[in-house]
Amino acid sequence: MILLGIDTGGTFTDFIYKDRGSWEIYKILSTPDNPALAVLEGIAHIAGGERARVVHGSTVATNALLERKGASTALVTNEGFEDVLEIGRQNRNTLYRFSNQKSLPLVPRSHRFGIDCRVSATGDITRSLGGTDLEALIESIAGSGASSVAVCLLFAFKNPRHEARIKKALAPLGLPVSLSHEILSEFREFERTSTTVCNAYVLPKMKTYLDGLSSSQAIHSLRIMQSNGGGISSRTAGREPVRTILSGPAGGVVGAFELGKRAGFDKLITFDMGGTSTDVALIDGKLPLTTEALVAGIPLKVPTIDIHTVGAGGGSIAQLDAGGSLRVGPESAGADPGPICYGKGEKITVTDANLFLGRLLPDHFLGGRMRLDRERIREAFQSLSNQLGLTEIATAEGIVTVANAGMERAIRVISVQRGFDPGEFTLFSFGGAGGLHAADLARLLGIPRVLVPRHPGILSAMGMLLSDIIKDYSLTVMLREDASAEEIRSLFRPLEDRGRASLRPEGIRSRDITLERFLDMRYRGQSFELMVPFENDHLARFHALHEKTYGFSNPDRSVEIVNIRLRARGRGEAPTFPKLPPGDSHPPEATVIGRGPVCFNEKWHSAMILNREKLLAGNEFRGPAILTEYSSTIIVPPFASGRVDEMGNVILDIEG
């Protein structure tokens, strides 16, 4: 049976699959109006008449949230707390903007319903839920036109009885209902409400999408990538789609982490440049997790890989702003109409600039399956350069430089601004456009080397196949630091039972289940916590992490444990990839396609063009050079040299 990983991007939908022992890749243009069309077309092309086991990173929930095209949602909460969702935390990202306006909440005031009941902070019912109130609630929701319901009551994580009763009462309406104690069993009512509402908002669209895929005769089983770097069944993803909001980028980071370890690198800055955006993350020996993600201005307190995204990709549009300066992105040409050189677009993109500079080869894009039209971009560059008062070459290099500056800032956010020296890391470059910009970025940031894996344009899809099945659970406990280890373990046991029970239907054997325990800790009086592993020295670990994160610690100050977190991990069959045959330092003649002109710093150079797919382990080369392959192109500038390791990774050494 074919094993298939799929990543849906803004421009391309990527496939990697194992068929009869060999790994193959495939890319087709995405279908933004209905992402399932590209997915099913690709599966049909690959599988023929066979059935496939699929691991999929879906953008359906993400796009529904970003574009505000989710379901009409009703929110049920305690009477008097209907406006918590809109009040939020009163944070202002732009302190000095007089006209600052907050984003509108996903649920309008007319669809927020308060009900007269209350559970105390200790879990005691202080005001019971009346039958008359439930009848009125059902009538109000039925009349609202809502197609999904979120229920978030105070302290439901301590006692979920009222939430469960509301769900049962709403059953006759036939609407999907998201309960906060199931989605996020933690305190902080705003974040819990926001996360539960988001789940309800994207649930109908996600469920329809997954049901459509699952009904395909070509799919034997369907697993969905989560934002936390693990997979879940499509059935679970259909109930809790909020856990898939960043599934595509998470797959890329997991792939980089796993392949980086195999290559001997555990300190990585991942650089994923696709057609629409660029995602970066910092890996310091382990996957970076956070519970404070913010997507489209909406806080989501589910565990996610800590990824920073900027609107800079191959399809980012270059244009003049109101002051006459060159701006690149965040608007993207996407898959349709795409860059000018794709044949339909009318606006210059970063891809067009790279083609103009000779850094993309018109006859070798997607292995020659898609020819780029270099003649079509000339008139557009002439027009833009006239507006800027620059030469056409300077204009093209300016577009690349502006795009690089935005991506450089993104990497500085996750490294320098958090106390990490980029010089201690390796830049792990992937995505269809990553290899065109990685060497320049590494030089700008003082990063000594770049690692480009095999098939970089489909690494996110590959990461999905490399991922474990992961279930995350949490519970607010509010313990003092002198709580005994046995007391803490006793609180973990119900979560552990849930974790094991939830992994068995996923086909995971007991011996392949790993349980990872974490504590959210803070100094008493602080508002936010740090997550540390639950081990014998968890208190010392907290002080050390506080020192690293904030620059100070205070071991004499009392500490409290706010939440416990359990990560239930099920290890499936880990894909293995064949090693390259060994070669000497000189690339074989069969790898040399020829030479071609490429521009650096407004000077044209004669660059050696190599077919990466024919390189052998141990081969070396110096820039300027262009490495072409099916899913990506790698530029080796004059200040870089390259080598190939036994796994097929290209490693560029960057001169200062």
Side-chain angles (χ1 to χ4, degrees):
M1 189 176 296
I2 295 173
L3 177 61
L4 180 60
I6 307 174
D7 176 44
T8 302
T11 304
F12 286 98
T13 296
D14 305 330
F15 303 81
I16 180 169
Y17 57 100
K18 188 175 186 180
D19 186 15
R20 297 176 179 85
S22 65
W23 288 96
E24 305 291 341
I25 62 174
Y26 184 60
K27 290 173 77 79
I28 59 175
L29 287 171
S30 296
T31 49
D33 291 340
N34 184 358
L37 295 179
V39 171
L40 293 174
E41 179 185 340
I43 293 174
H45 172 84
I46 292 166
E50 299 184 48
R51 304 190 77 195
R53 291 183 293 142
V54 175
V55 187
H56 179 28
S58 170
T59 59
V60 171
T62 315
N63 293 339
L65 192 59
L66 293 176
E67 299 170 7
R68 295 295 182 103
K69 292 182 179 178
S72 175
T73 303
L75 169 62
V76 180
T77 187
N78 297 90
E79 192 173 67
F81 287 81
E82 298 91 343
D83 296 324
V84 162
L85 188 66
E86 190 160 358
I87 294 170
R89 290 291 175 195
Q90 296 292 292
N91 295 334
R92 289 183 57 152
N93 295 325
T94 52
L95 292 176
Y96 304 107
R97 182 181 295 172
F98 294 127
S99 59
N100 183 60
Q101 290 187 344
K102 294 175 64 175
S103 300
L104 293 175
L106 295 178
V107 180
R109 185 63 180 83
S110 60
H111 282 44
R112 303 198 291 262
F113 305 100
I115 192 161
D116 187 21
C117 64
R118 184 64 67 88
V119 171
S120 73
T122 58
D124 298 322
I125 295 177
T126 59
R127 194 177 308 150
S128 298
L129 179 59
T132 303
D133 293 332
L134 276 176
E135 292 173 3
L137 175 67
I138 295 169
E139 185 177 342
S140 297
I141 292 177
S144 71
S147 55
S148 186
V149 181
V151 182
C152 188
L153 302 180
L154 291 176
F155 301 109
F157 55 88
K158 285 287 188 180
N159 186 340
R161 191 178 305 171
H162 285 163
E163 285 196 350
R165 189 177 170 196
I166 289 172
K167 181 176 183 177
K168 184 177 180 180
L170 292 175
L173 297 181
L175 302 178
V177 179
S178 300
L179 303 183
S180 74
H181 76 272
E182 295 178 345
I183 302 299
L184 184 66
S185 192
E186 299 179 23
F187 87 133
R188 291 200 175 99
E189 68 274 16
F190 168 58
E191 286 79 7
R192 185 158 48 91
T193 302
S194 175
T195 305
T196 307
V197 163
C198 181
N199 191 81
Y201 184 74
V202 302
L203 191 153
K205 182 166 282 193
M206 184 67 165
K207 190 174 186 307
T208 299
Y209 175 76
L210 294 178
D211 287 347
L213 290 184
S214 299
S215 65
S216 169
Q217 294 299 311
I219 297 178
H220 174 266
S221 63
L222 178 61
R223 203 167 84 214
I224 304 299
M225 190 70 181
Q226 297 180 91
S227 308
N228 65 6
I232 49 175
S233 68
S234 60
R235 182 181 57 190
T236 303
R239 290 195 312 267
E240 302 179 13
V242 70
R243 302 187 185 278
T244 71
I245 295 294
L246 296 174
S247 69
V253 178
V254 170
F257 176 62
E258 293 293 338
L259 295 184
K261 282 194 301 184
R262 297 180 187 187
F265 299 98
D266 61 355
K267 293 171 75 74
L268 302 171
I269 293 175
T270 67
F271 168 57
D272 176 9
M273 184 178 179
T276 304
S277 62
T278 293
D279 303 308
V280 296
L282 186 141
I283 299 174
D284 188 13
K286 60 182 179 180
L287 288 174
L289 291 175
T290 181
T291 57
E292 298 178 6
L294 196 69
V295 180
I298 299 169
L300 302 177
K301 210 174 184 324
V302 291
T304 63
I305 291 180
D306 193 0
I307 299 170
H308 186 64
T309 303
V310 292
S316 294
I317 293 172
Q319 54 193 324
L320 302 186
D321 64 15
S325 297
L326 181 64
R327 179 165 58 89
V328 179
E331 183 184 357
S332 173
D336 188 11
I340 296 174
C341 61
Y342 283 13
K344 292 173 63 178
E346 300 294 337
K347 297 180 179 179
I348 293 176
T349 67
V350 175
T351 295
D352 295 313
N354 278 313
L355 177 63
F356 195 89
L357 296 169
R359 301 180 187 185
L360 278 173
L361 304 175
D363 297 324
H364 294 275
F365 195 72
L366 285 186
R369 285 181 48 242
M370 181 176 176
R371 192 181 189 284
L372 302 180
D373 191 342
R374 199 173 193 280
E375 295 301 318
R376 196 171 185 270
I377 66 177
R378 292 187 180 278
E379 184 177 341
F381 270 95
Q382 185 177 26
S383 174
L384 183 60
S385 62
N386 288 339
Q387 295 178 62
L388 287 167
L390 300 173
T391 65
E392 294 174 15
I393 291 297
T395 298
E397 287 205 323
I399 291 170
V400 173
T401 299
V402 172
N404 284 346
M407 295 182 288
E408 178 194 1
R409 285 193 297 272
I411 293 175
R412 289 190 183 277
V413 167
I414 63 165
S415 58
V416 177
Q417 293 185 21
R418 298 181 184 178
F420 293 97
D421 178 5
E424 298 177 358
F425 290 78
T426 296
L427 187 66
F428 193 109
S429 172
F430 58 103
L436 295 166
H437 299 259
D440 284 333
L441 281 174
R443 196 183 199 197
L444 287 169
L445 291 155
I447 299 174
R449 76 191 64 82
V450 175
L451 189 155
V452 187
R454 294 165 84 173
H455 312 311
I458 50 84
L459 186 81
S460 290
M462 186 185 300
M464 292 163 196
L465 296 182
L466 291 167
S467 66
D468 296 333
I469 297 176
I470 296 176
K471 300 293 185 76
D472 283 306
Y473 303 93
S474 60
L475 181 67
T476 295
V477 293
M478 291 297 184
L479 298 174
R480 298 181 66 89
E481 65 183 60
D482 56 3
S484 68
E486 182 52 40
E487 181 182 358
I488 298 173
R489 289 192 192 97
S490 68
L491 294 170
F492 269 110
R493 286 186 189 114
L495 302 186
E496 293 167 0
D497 292 341
R498 287 177 61 191
R500 292 189 186 94
S502 68
L503 286 174
R504 291 189 191 105
E506 306 275 3
I508 302 298
R509 297 169 298 186
S510 296
R511 67 173 180 265
D512 294 326
I513 295 176
T514 302
L515 301 178
E516 301 170 359
R517 303 163 186 84
F518 300 90
L519 307 175
D520 286 354
M521 303 177 68
R522 67 185 182 187
Y523 290 120
R524 186 171 293 277
Q526 286 184 320
S527 298
F528 294 95
E529 304 80 44
L530 295 174
M531 185 168 62
V532 299
F534 172 45
E535 296 175 359
N536 292 333
D537 60 345
H538 59 268
L539 194 56
R541 283 174 175 260
F542 167 73
H543 292 304
L545 182 59
H546 200 282
E547 178 79 35
K548 182 175 182 178
T549 305
Y550 299 113
F552 75 97
S553 62
N554 188 351
D556 296 328
R557 189 171 175 181
S558 61
V559 176
E560 59 186 355
I561 300 169
V562 177
N563 302 309
I564 59 173
R565 297 186 182 278
L566 179 80
R567 167 163 282 210
R569 181 189 297 272
R571 169 64 73 175
E573 178 188 355
T576 57
F577 303 97
K579 294 181 179 180
L580 284 187
D584 57 26
S585 60
H586 299 286
E589 289 187 12
T591 66
V592 181
I593 297 173
R595 303 191 74 88
V598 60
C599 187
F600 299 100
N601 296 323
E602 297 189 48
K603 293 182 181 179
W604 289 96
H605 300 255
S606 177
M608 180 169 58
I609 302 172
L610 299 172
N611 182 347
R612 180 186 178 177
E613 295 170 359
K614 295 184 179 181
L615 289 172
L616 303 175
N619 287 170
E620 299 177 359
F621 45 86
R622 285 199 59 84
I626 301 175
L627 276 62
T628 180
E629 61 178 301
Y630 175 77
S631 71
S632 185
T633 298
I634 303 172
I635 291 295
V636 188
F639 55 79
S641 59
R643 50 195 165 91
V644 183
D645 70 8
E646 65 179 6
M647 294 179 59
N649 300 310
V650 168
I651 300 172
L652 303 181
D653 294 308
I654 308 300
E655 300 172 4

